[in-house]
């Protein structure tokens, strides 16, 4: 397959609600093929829908930035940045909900989603990102490649869709602004 042309967009709460079905199906597919996203497989559609209802609520409350990647109008991936309103750590935020449908992987979409999220996080005043991921599968190599530092390991702190416990890895990255 030639590298697909893709579009990265920020979605606010109404946009998340409008794309809820596609996002829910993306999550179901990623969990079904082993993605360590915090959900057991098989993930029911009703449950997947609530994940994005909750995400829309968090975005509406000003505590998340949400991005999607689409290919010819079809949702191919997403990512979110989460930041609670904390007085003492206003500079830090968590990256999560990163997923790219298996049909569209290894074409730079995940990297482009993370880069867009980092730019927006920096504009939001965030200078440090962190994330947790299971020490299994693709994600650790992806974050190494995206210049995240490994900041720690939590024994049995991660879980696979089949319920197997694995270690969780903590990754972090200092944001220093991006050339446009
Ligand atoms: C992790 C994920 C988002 C990557 O998306 P993607 O669009 O395939 O990523 P990219 O094409 O931008 O990959 C960038 C680099 O990451 C690394 N990488 C990506 N997939 C990899 C794999 N399967 N094996 C090894 N390295 C990999 C490579 O260095 C790659 O660069 P290259 O293709 O030039 O070698 C995707 O695999 C995914 O959705 N996985 C399941 C869900 C998941 O694990 N999410 C993270 C939860 S914390």
């Amino acid at each position: 397959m030639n590298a697909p042309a893709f579009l990265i967009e920020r979605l606010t709460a109404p946009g998340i609600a409008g794309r809820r079905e596609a996002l829910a199906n993306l999550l179901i597919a990623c969990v079904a093929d082993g993605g360590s996203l915090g959900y057991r497989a098989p993930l029911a559609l009703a449950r997947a829908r609530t994940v994005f209802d909750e995400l829309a609520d968090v975005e509406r409350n000003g505590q998340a930035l949400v991005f999607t990647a689409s290919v010819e109008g079809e949702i191919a991936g997403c990512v979110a940045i989460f930041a609670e309103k904390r007085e003492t750590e206003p500079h830090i935020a968590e990256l999560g909900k990163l997923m790219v449908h298996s049909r569209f992987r290894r074409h730079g979409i995940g990297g482009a989603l993370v880069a867009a999220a980092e730019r927006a996080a920096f504009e939001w005043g965030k200078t440090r990102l962190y994330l947790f991921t299971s020490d299994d599968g693709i994600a650790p190599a992806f974050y190494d490649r995206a210049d995240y530092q490994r900041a720690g390991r939590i024994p049995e702190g991660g879980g696979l869709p089949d319920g197997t416990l694995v270690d969780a890895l903590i990754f972090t990255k200092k944001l220093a602004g991006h050339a446009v």
Side-chain angles (χ1 to χ4, degrees), residues 36 98-100 105-111 133 138 142-143 145:
S36 186
L98 174 65
M99 60 195 106
V100 172
R105 288 185 191 159
R106 299 306 288 268
H107 294 300
I109 294 177
T133 191
I138 305 162
F142 172 85
Y143 291 117
R145 173 71 188 272

Side-chain angles (χ1 to χ4, degrees), residues 110-166:
L113 279 164
V114 167
E118 289 173 355
R119 276 193 297 274
F122 188 76
E123 285 164 14
W124 196 18
K126 309 303 172 192
T127 52
R128 173 143 321 259
L129 296 184
Y130 69 93
L131 63 95
F132 296 87
T133 191
S134 292
D135 188 9
D136 182 85
I138 305 162
F142 172 85
Y143 291 117
D144 286 336
R145 173 71 188 272
D147 293 328
Y148 282 71
Q149 293 175 310
R150 295 185 179 223
R153 170 182 296 275
I154 303 173
E156 298 190 337
L160 305 184
D162 68 2
T164 306
L165 290 182
V166 295

Side-chain angles (χ1 to χ4, degrees), residues 3-177:
F6 57 87
L7 177 69
I8 307 279
E9 290 175 290
R10 182 174 163 204
L11 292 190
T12 56
I16 298 166
R19 305 307 302 268
R20 183 180 74 159
E21 211 65 8
L23 288 163
N25 282 307
L26 169 67
L27 177 60
I28 289 168
C30 288
V31 171
D33 70 20
S36 186
L37 290 153
Y39 305 96
R40 294 286 291 261
L43 179 62
L45 180 58
R47 173 72 184 108
R49 287 176 177 145
T50 68
V51 171
F52 292 98
D53 290 339
E54 289 163 10
L55 184 61
D57 285 344
V58 176
E59 199 284 335
R60 193 177 294 109
N61 289 338
Q63 295 183 316
L65 301 173
V66 179
F67 296 86
T68 55
S70 46
V71 176
E72 295 179 354
E74 180 183 349
I75 295 275
C78 68
V79 69
I81 298 282
F82 298 98
E84 291 177 25
K85 292 172 180 158
R86 295 174 65 90
E87 292 182 12
T88 48
E89 301 95 28
H91 64 294
I92 193 161
E94 180 175 6
L95 186 145
K97 299 266 180 295
L98 174 65
M99 60 195 106
V100 172
H101 195 285
S102 57
R103 286 192 293 124
F104 298 114
R105 288 185 191 159
R106 299 306 288 268
H107 294 300
I109 294 177
L113 279 164
V114 167
E118 289 173 355
R119 276 193 297 274
F122 188 76
E123 285 164 14
W124 196 18
K126 309 303 172 192
T127 52
R128 173 143 321 259
L129 296 184
Y130 69 93
L131 63 95
F132 296 87
T133 191
S134 292
D135 188 9
D136 182 85
I138 305 162
F142 172 85
Y143 291 117
D144 286 336
R145 173 71 188 272
D147 293 328
Y148 282 71
Q149 293 175 310
R150 295 185 179 223
R153 170 182 296 275
I154 303 173
E156 298 190 337
L160 305 184
D162 68 2
T164 306
L165 290 182
V166 295
D167 289 357
L169 296 175
I170 305 166
F171 281 85
T172 185
K173 184 173 187 176
K174 184 167 173 55
L175 303 181

